[in-house]
Amino acid sequence: MIFSPSLWVVPELKINTEKANSADTKIYLYAGGDESITMIEHIKSFKDSLISSEFVKEKSNINLSINKQGKHSETYWSDEFPKAIEWLFFNEKEV
């Protein structure tokens, strides 16, 4: 579960795939469109980088959730948290 990551700090974030065991990995990404001018662009790019990396294998699954009015605050994260938990642990269907 990754909420409102500070991707502008290191936009070219690299994942060390040598030590990664990604079998059956689920990643829930969340960002708010009102966090910064570049947040949506960065989170979509981050998702694309994950998908194209060795870290994400066939059994991995990524869900990207964007609230276009969302801000970088606990209020928005608390609204998203139940959705993330449901998808990560209780939802067997693909999104």
Side-chain angles (χ1 to χ4, degrees), residues 36-48:
S36 73
I37 295 171
T38 59
M39 176 53 97
I40 303 303
E41 171 190 337
H42 283 144
I43 197 83
K44 287 180 178 179
S45 177
F46 181 66
K47 179 185 176 192
D48 292 344

Side-chain angles (χ1 to χ4, degrees), residues 13-45:
L13 181 66
K14 301 292 184 207
I15 295 172
N16 182 351
T17 60
E18 292 177 18
K19 296 181 181 180
N21 180 1
S22 63
D24 298 323
T25 298
K26 293 176 85 173
I27 301 170
Y28 192 98
L29 296 172
Y30 168 78
D34 206 15
E35 293 190 43
S36 73
I37 295 171
T38 59
M39 176 53 97
I40 303 303
E41 171 190 337
H42 283 144
I43 197 83
K44 287 180 178 179
S45 177

Side-chain angles (χ1 to χ4, degrees), residues 37-95:
I37 295 171
T38 59
M39 176 53 97
I40 303 303
E41 171 190 337
H42 283 144
I43 197 83
K44 287 180 178 179
S45 177
F46 181 66
K47 179 185 176 192
D48 292 344
S49 294
L50 282 173
I51 290 170
S52 66
S53 75
E54 286 293 316
F55 178 73
V56 177
K57 306 278 188 215
E58 291 177 10
K59 291 185 177 183
S60 297
N61 199 350
I62 299 173
N63 183 62
L64 173 58
S65 178
I66 296 173
N67 176 346
K68 292 190 180 196
Q69 289 79 40
K71 298 183 186 316
H72 191 84
S73 85
E74 289 82 359
T75 300
Y76 291 94
W77 302 331
S78 68
D79 289 344
E80 193 68 23
F81 186 80
K83 298 173 196 173
I85 293 297
E86 177 72 25
W87 185 82
L88 286 166
F89 298 104
F90 301 106
N91 187 358
E92 297 300 320
K93 296 184 290 184
E94 297 292 317
V95 174

